[in-house]
Amino acid sequence: MYETKYHRASTVSDAATMLKNADDGKLLSGGQTLIPTMKQRLAAPSDLIDLCHIGEIAGIVKQTDGSIRIGAATCHADVAGNADVKAALPGLADLAGTIGDPHVRHMGTIGGSIANNDPAADYPAALLALGATIETNKREFSAQDFFTGMFETALDEDEIVTGVVFPTASNTAYAKFPNPASRYAMAGVFVARTSAGARVAVTGAGQNGVFRMPDMEKALDGNWSADAVAGIAPSADNMLSDLHGTSAYRANLVTVMAKRAVAASS
Amino acid sequence: MTAEGIGARVLRKEDKRFITGNGRYTDDVTMQRMGYAAFVRSTHAHARIKSINTDDAMKMPGVDAVLNGHQLVADGIGNIICGWMIHSKDGSPMNMGAYRALESETVRYVGQAIAVVVADTQQQARDAAEAVVVDYEDLPAVIDSLDALKEGAPQLHPEAAGNLIYDWELGEEAQTDEAFANAAHITRMDIDNNRLIPNPMEPRAALAHFDPSEEHYTLYTTSQNPHVARLVLSAFYNVASENKLRVIAPDVGGGFGSKIFIYPEEIACLWATKRVGRPVKWTSDRTEAFLTDAHGRDHHSIAELALDENNKITGFRVKTVANLGAYMSLFSSSVPTYLYATLLSGQYNIPNIYANVKAVYTNTTPVDAYRGAGRPEATYVVERMMETAAKEIGMPPAEFRRINFIREFPHQTPVIMAYDAGDYEASLNAAMKVIDYDGFAQRRTHSEAAGKLRGIGISCYIEACGIAPSQAVGSLGAGVGLWESAEVRVNAVGTIEVLTGSHSHGQGHETTFAQLVSDRLGLPTDSISIVHGDTDKVQMGMGTYGSRSGAVGMSAIAKALDKVEAKAKKIAAHLMEASEGDIEIGNGELKVTGTDRKLTFTEVALAAYTAHNLPEGMEPGLKEGAFYDPTNFTFPAGCYICEVEVDPDTGVVSIEDFVAADDFGTIINPMIVEGQVHGGLVQGIGQAMLENARYDEDGQLLTASYMDYTMPRAGDVPSFTLETTVTECPGNPLGMKGCGEAGAIGSPPAVINAVTDALGIRDMNMPASPNRVWQLIQDNGLKQAAE
């Protein structure tokens, strides 16, 4: 790791100032991707601004309209174990409980995960399927607008995610096929019945990051069953291909995981 | 048996310090004024070095020196050797390319060391190493061994035309060909053995110190054989003479073979410490471990098995191409030859065997011994062939093996080995019973009802361990003898230190070796300490690999104990005025048989050291040493059966049951042996299902981290059921055969035989990854069949 300066922010505006004052600063929100990358000398930020100790962006609140707001600095283990999340969006709690290993789940945060938008990260599938709203220190985004490509988001350089609001939904479930080595998603499918209809979002498989499966959504609107999606697969042309899975294999996994998610949804 | 003697499940004495974080590893050792080394490594698989510019690096903070291969050669540091001479079938010696600890002309694999930086901190050293500018002229690279043999392939070394290191053979070719000409059935298969990366928990490390006033060097290093390291470093690399070099291998966190060899980094640290005038430490990071620890396996084979009309095997013909990487590592030449082809008879009576092995240079990390070393490759070929041949002739695989088992001992195979003892049917029967082989058909039906494919696979392995009789290996080209030494030092108060040339890096020697002494003398293991891993303490030793520490190392201790007991009996007889022949030892006492006269072991030890009343002419003291040279290899053998279920939707293979029935001869500590078997099985299952070292066509290692190299996790393996059957090894005083490698040797074919059985196919390569299995299901139209 190259030398870097660590700063612990106590408020969001404090963090924004620190970032502005740094030569080449990076926001740190759990560091489960950034720190290993720095250890491999593949990233060399001059300053790290730690968001994890900002009280105002941590914690989970069930709001009066039934939606759930998760502060950006909330770790995965807290989401997985939260009673309100488990009751309202069990698929989201399950998803959080399958991220990495216990160490990762106690360090990694929802804000850090979505701001990084790793194409194999789990959260983007939930946000996209559930039509979540991403709140920052400047504005709000819909999930659809937020994730713009592999490791790319609509965030400005100096913008800080403060929270994610998940509207109510039913029949939420997440099925993930993990990469045998890294245990990141090779295909992770989140399904939900939302006020806007059935939603299916896929992470880990696509060349451009998280994506929706409109054909599956249509089929599920008419018939919420595993059989409804059994014959539907994304085009292999748009799938990732690597040592662990060809694009054809990933396309197959999307169908299989979608079936399993629907079957598990309740 | 005493409470802590042979056969007792004594808890490991060493675990207290390991599990409380108090182990002392090389990286834990610090010295005053210590500097840190970082290596400049090749980023190219094959390139000519046009220039190495160290100007910027030298100006960086804390940097003491940036040293390169020109200086190394100028200082007379010798090229890296290969310790086993193999001759090609035409009688010519192997073609070995020059291998320098720091390369300054042509690099031949990604990660090869080019220069070393010494700085005040590790961080500074790494920063400076990054600032060294190497100007490369790219050369075409070749990665696969079959490609390397092709006409027009990139050439690695001028010494090895066509990249061929040797073209070696074993067995009678003409006779074997005749068996095939007369065969009633021939089974032929292309069989690959995938390349593996060892991944011991502790990465390699070295700390070198030079004392100018004494002209003396000390090297702390992660070695499985510190005495061999000292011998090679002094005799071949000219770093220092043996009496001026102390090598210490303190606690070592796993080796699996990869820490047998003397690597460039140890040599460079020793050389650099004198040049910079301060102790120099290097600790590998995990990426360096992936790139530079010697890899394992990597064979392509074509195997043919000839059967007569009674389904008896009449001939076995194997042609193998072994990838040795870019350079010949210390014992690399022996692995695909004498550690491989000599085991091609398996557990079977095969009258004619012929093996031809071509060893090949490629632009990849050097390949050398890795847990099992040659024997897993042999077992995989033999047991894949046995399973396939059985299916081709329509005979149950167990039955086919049964009718071909060797049943009389000793048995001379056509490939050098003389098996001394075994009962192969006993282990086959034990494994089949435990796994309820007869109930498999019903279990398969249940799986099919759930849309799953189920398969069962057998592997009957044999290995040659207890490495090795010195004269025999010498006649085959080994540069060293493979005996072991021990010294039993009884202190004046009757406590004991055992000095051994074996090295423990996870095996539990501090416990098992003490158990042997406890068994013999009846003393508690607490009063017995095992000393190892330091050339200043232990006079000489050959180290730990090849499942040899029990069969060879403990036999040396047993021999030394014989001498200690003999002298103790003489002293006791003298003191108790009895006949020496009437003295018996046990329970910490020396007794006169049939009387109540006795002395404690402590009293006899004290008498030996006070020397007030010793037999006429006897020297004081009670300390004896012994060298033990085995008369033969030992032959652990057994039967592993694996049962799998395959999810046709995803290609995921889950191991539903795995039974291992092993014959290790005498077992000192069943708990430790079970641990060894568990670890070996996980490594073998890792090879069969998960692990695979992959390069891209330019020679970049694609699996250079745990993000892509799939190490087995606890959840990937089932709970194992272990059985043991026992035929004692007649070749050593304790009847031991060795257990360290069996699991890794026997398990891969059991897994693949089970997976191919589930899929109803004949051929597949390791690892049985989900994608590969799913693709096989698609290619063979199996999914519909399952549904």
Side-chain angles (χ1 to χ4, degrees):
Chain A
M1 192 185 284
Y2 299 99
E3 194 171 303
T4 189
K5 288 196 257 336
Y6 173 85
H7 309 268
R8 179 175 288 189
S10 49
T11 65
V12 173
S13 65
D14 191 17
T17 309
M18 288 170 170
L19 185 62
K20 198 173 156 196
N21 293 338
D23 278 349
D24 180 20
K26 270 269 185 197
L27 298 169
L28 180 70
S29 189
Q32 297 307 289
T33 301
L34 180 56
I35 299 294
T37 309
M38 291 173 65
K39 281 174 142 177
Q40 290 190 31
R41 304 169 79 91
L42 298 171
S46 63
D47 300 77
L48 286 178
I49 295 104
D50 191 348
L51 306 177
C52 284
H53 303 273
I54 302 176
E56 61 186 311
I57 60 167
I60 300 166
V61 177
K62 183 166 183 179
Q63 309 192 111
T64 47
D65 64 352
S67 65
I68 290 191
R69 186 183 185 282
I70 301 177
T74 309
C75 72
H76 312 324
D78 288 348
V79 176
N82 182 275
D84 287 334
V85 178
K86 286 205 265 193
L89 303 169
L92 181 63
D94 289 348
L95 176 149
T98 68
I99 299 172
D101 54 33
H103 304 78
V104 170
R105 292 195 286 276
H106 283 85
M107 286 296 291
T109 65
I110 188 168
S113 171
I114 63 171
N116 187 49
N117 194 19
D118 187 308
D122 298 290
Y123 268 129
L127 268 67
L128 193 57
L130 291 169
T133 302
I134 294 105
E135 300 175 353
T136 75
N137 59 340
K138 294 182 172 182
R139 52 191 159 161
E140 291 184 352
F141 293 99
S142 71
Q144 193 76 48
D145 295 337
F146 183 81
F147 301 111
T148 55
M150 205 184 262
F151 294 107
E152 283 175 11
T153 66
L155 289 170
D156 292 339
E157 284 281 307
D158 61 347
E159 193 166 8
I160 298 172
V161 176
T162 53
V164 183
V165 178
F166 292 93
T168 56
S170 63
N171 298 69
T172 59
Y174 182 62
K176 165 162 80 169
F177 190 90
N179 176 310
S182 70
R183 305 289 159 116
Y184 272 90
M186 271 172 63
V189 179
F190 199 99
V191 299
R193 297 174 97 164
T194 72
S195 58
R199 287 287 179 269
V200 180
V202 181
T203 190
Q207 284 180 4
N208 297 309
V210 65
F211 64 94
R212 277 171 57 187
M213 286 288 295
D215 293 352
M216 285 187 177
E217 292 174 357
K218 234 174 278 166
L220 288 170
D221 271 335
N223 173 17
W224 184 267
S225 75
D227 287 345
V229 294
I232 305 170
S235 164
D237 296 344
N238 300 324
M239 296 297 104
L240 288 166
S241 182
D242 60 23
L243 282 179
H244 305 282
T246 60
S247 51
Y249 181 58
R250 276 191 168 81
N252 166 69
L253 288 179
V254 171
T255 307
V256 176
M257 292 302 115
K259 279 166 61 182
R260 290 181 184 178
V262 173
S265 69
S266 54
Chain B
M1 181 180 113
T2 61
E4 298 182 305
I6 292 174
R9 292 176 174 269
V10 178
L11 293 180
R12 300 198 339 157
K13 294 171 70 171
E14 45 272 78
D15 281 350
K16 184 176 174 187
R17 71 174 189 276
F18 292 149
I19 63 182
T20 55
N22 288 299
R24 187 174 163 85
Y25 298 87
T26 297
D27 190 56
D28 295 325
V29 182
T30 57
M31 291 182 181
Q32 284 195 333
R33 297 186 56 255
M34 188 169 78
Y36 291 83
F39 286 85
V40 178
R41 299 189 180 280
S42 175
T43 52
H44 296 243
H46 198 191
R48 198 175 65 77
I49 296 174
K50 289 159 75 178
S51 65
I52 303 169
N53 187 328
T54 60
D55 295 351
D56 289 348
M58 279 301 296
K59 289 178 204 143
M60 292 182 67
V63 173
D64 238 7
V66 185
L67 304 171
N68 66 40
H70 294 299
Q71 294 154 313
L72 182 106
V73 171
D75 281 359
I77 303 299
N79 287 353
I80 293 173
I81 62 154
C82 181
W84 197 308
M85 171 53 74
I86 298 294
H87 287 85
S88 283
K89 58 188 184 185
D90 66 5
S92 60
M94 62 191 185
N95 305 312
M96 191 175 167
Y99 184 10
R100 296 184 185 89
L102 297 175
E103 180 57 51
S104 47
E105 291 168 10
T106 304
V107 285
R108 296 179 177 85
Y109 71 97
V110 171
Q112 182 171 8
I114 294 170
V116 59
V117 176
V118 180
D120 292 344
T121 70
Q122 188 178 57
Q123 201 57 42
Q124 289 169 338
R126 288 182 177 176
D127 288 348
E130 215 166 70
V132 172
V133 181
V134 182
D135 190 11
Y136 298 97
E137 178 191 334
D138 253 330
L139 298 169
V142 62
I143 308 307
D144 188 88
S145 59
L146 297 179
D147 292 338
L149 287 175
K150 286 178 186 159
E151 186 104 6
Q155 299 291 299
L156 270 78
H157 295 276
E159 298 88 348
N163 300 316
L164 184 67
I165 298 168
Y166 52 72
D167 180 0
W168 173 89
E169 66 180 358
L170 184 65
E172 297 294 331
E173 185 175 21
Q175 254 171 259
T176 308
D177 287 349
E178 200 182 316
F180 277 86
N182 299 321
H185 179 85
I186 294 172
T187 293
R188 183 184 188 283
M189 293 183 91
D190 288 355
I191 296 174
D192 289 349
N193 204 286
N194 44 327
R195 179 183 280 239
L196 304 175
I197 301 175
N199 280 300
M201 195 179 290
E202 181 205 17
R204 290 189 293 118
L207 169 57
H209 171 243
F210 177 67
D211 176 351
S213 58
E214 303 281 345
E215 288 278 316
H216 183 276
Y217 291 83
T218 302
L219 175 69
Y220 286 86
T221 189
T222 47
S223 176
Q224 300 178 212
N225 32 234
H227 292 87
V228 175
R230 182 172 78 152
L231 172 66
V232 172
L233 285 163
S234 59
F236 298 98
Y237 305 150
N238 312 321
V239 179
S241 59
E242 262 183 305
N243 62 319
K244 293 291 187 184
L245 173 59
R246 178 184 184 187
V247 177
I248 302 168
D251 283 334
V252 174
F256 312 114
S258 72
K259 291 172 181 167
I260 297 172
F261 326 119
I262 322 303
Y263 288 88
E265 292 83 2
E266 288 112 90
I267 301 168
C269 285
L270 268 176
W271 167 64
T273 183
K274 186 176 180 183
R275 285 195 63 123
V276 300
R278 67 195 295 191
V280 174
K281 181 194 273 188
W282 169 76
T283 304
S284 169
D285 65 24
R286 192 51 72 177
T287 306
E288 287 180 295
F290 273 99
L291 291 174
T292 67
D293 288 3
H295 291 180
R297 322 282 192 254
D298 203 343
H299 285 193
H300 292 295
S301 295
I302 299 168
E304 295 165 292
L305 196 67
L307 310 183
D308 67 15
E309 60 282 0
N310 298 317
N311 300 323
K312 294 284 186 73
I313 304 166
T314 55
F316 192 28
R317 199 157 56 187
V318 181
K319 293 190 172 155
T320 294
V321 177
N323 190 338
L324 293 193
Y327 295 94
M328 296 188 72
S329 174
L330 190 63
F331 287 111
S332 58
S333 57
S334 64
V335 176
T337 50
Y338 291 110
L339 294 176
Y340 165 68
T342 53
L343 272 305
L344 286 173
S345 197
Q347 297 185 353
Y348 312 106
N349 193 353
I350 305 180
N352 304 291
I353 299 176
Y354 175 74
N356 171 229
V357 179
K358 291 188 169 95
V360 174
Y361 278 125
T362 64
N363 295 109
T364 61
T365 299
V367 176
D368 206 326
Y370 170 63
R371 202 170 191 170
R375 292 150 290 166
E377 296 91 317
T379 301
Y380 189 67
V381 168
V382 171
E383 288 305 290
R384 288 287 291 131
M385 292 296 286
M386 292 302 289
E387 193 83 3
T388 305
K391 288 188 172 166
E392 285 182 352
I393 59 173
M395 186 177 252
E399 189 55 28
F400 178 58
R401 288 177 169 89
R402 224 181 274 278
I403 64 167
N404 282 290
F405 275 150
I406 293 163
R407 290 167 186 280
E408 284 173 24
F409 296 90
H411 174 88
Q412 178 62 52
T413 73
V415 279
I416 298 177
M417 292 300 177
Y419 298 170
D420 53 5
D423 183 347
Y424 307 139
E425 189 149 29
S427 47
L428 175 66
N429 289 342
M432 289 177 74
K433 183 170 173 227
V434 173
I435 206 161
D436 183 22
Y437 198 89
D438 293 339
F440 171 72
Q442 200 183 356
R443 295 193 294 276
R444 175 177 261 177
T445 307
H446 284 302
S447 293
E448 282 171 357
K452 301 284 176 66
L453 303 162
R454 200 175 185 100
I456 194 164
I458 298 175
S459 164
C460 293
Y461 77 91
I462 186 162
E463 48 169 336
C465 294
I467 289 175
S470 298
Q471 196 183 344
V473 296
S475 73
L476 301 177
V480 289
L482 290 167
W483 43 264
E484 196 47 86
S485 84
E487 192 176 306
V488 175
R489 230 159 52 180
V490 180
N491 298 318
V493 292
T495 58
I496 291 179
E497 281 119 28
V498 176
L499 286 72
T500 170
S502 300
H503 186 274
S504 187
H505 35 279
Q507 292 85 350
H509 295 169
E510 289 169 43
T511 307
T512 47
F513 289 11
Q515 283 183 257
L516 167 61
V517 180
S518 173
D519 195 80
R520 292 280 293 261
L521 304 177
L523 299 170
T525 55
D526 275 353
S527 66
I528 304 154
S529 295
I530 308 301
V531 178
H532 69 98
D534 184 341
T535 58
D536 264 12
K537 292 179 181 167
V538 180
Q539 187 244 330
M540 188 54 178
M542 294 312 295
T544 289
Y545 38 82
S547 305
R548 68 191 304 272
S549 297
V552 187
M554 289 181 79
S555 293
I557 298 171
K559 267 185 81 174
L561 279 171
D562 290 343
K563 297 182 191 176
V564 166
E565 287 184 357
K567 186 168 180 183
K569 280 181 180 174
K570 280 198 177 79
I571 296 169
H574 175 75
L575 293 175
M576 292 190 282
E577 296 175 346
S579 156
E580 194 185 320
D582 290 340
I583 305 292
E584 55 185 54
I585 300 181
N587 213 15
E589 293 168 344
L590 292 93
K591 279 192 206 165
V592 182
T593 310
T595 74
D596 58 1
R597 279 185 293 158
K598 62 185 180 188
L599 290 167
T600 65
F601 189 75
T602 302
E603 288 169 322
V604 174
L606 194 60
Y609 285 95
T610 57
H612 296 162
N613 184 12
L614 291 176
E616 184 70 33
M618 179 183 275
E619 290 178 12
L622 192 52
K623 182 194 86 165
E624 299 288 348
F627 283 71
Y628 173 77
D629 197 359
T631 52
N632 191 359
F633 291 85
T634 64
F635 297 96
C639 176
Y640 293 171
I641 305 182
C642 176
E643 192 164 323
V644 301
E645 199 174 68
V646 178
D647 176 353
D649 289 340
T650 58
V652 167
V653 177
S654 82
I655 297 183
E656 297 296 306
D657 206 351
F658 198 107
V659 173
D662 292 294
D663 179 357
F664 297 135
T666 305
I667 287 173
I668 306 294
N669 184 324
M671 180 197 72
I672 287 178
V673 168
E674 286 161 12
Q676 286 287 321
V677 174
H678 283 193
L681 290 175
V682 173
Q683 274 175 309
I685 290 169
Q687 167 163 35
M689 295 192 35
L690 305 163
E691 299 181 48
N692 203 20
R694 293 273 305 275
Y695 287 88
D696 72 10
E697 57 189 19
D698 297 324
Q700 297 294 334
L701 183 63
L702 297 173
T703 50
S705 81
Y706 297 128
M707 291 294 281
D708 287 303
Y709 189 83
T710 314
M711 286 296 282
R713 292 162 163 90
D716 293 319
V717 293
S719 289
F720 303 111
T721 311
L722 307 188
E723 284 283 314
T724 49
T725 60
V726 179
T727 59
E728 285 191 4
C729 174
N732 62 59
L734 297 166
M736 297 178 72
K737 298 185 179 183
C739 68
E741 296 162 294
I745 290 170
S747 54
V751 174
I752 298 300
N753 287 341
V755 175
T756 51
D757 184 55
L759 302 182
I761 61 171
R762 181 183 186 274
D763 296 293
M764 78 173 289
N765 280 330
M766 298 187 284
S769 64
N771 193 165
R772 172 171 279 154
V773 171
W774 178 81
Q775 194 61 52
L776 286 165
I777 290 168
Q778 306 310 304
D779 296 348
N780 292 281
L782 293 167
K783 197 170 167 214
Q784 286 72 21
E787 287 174 351

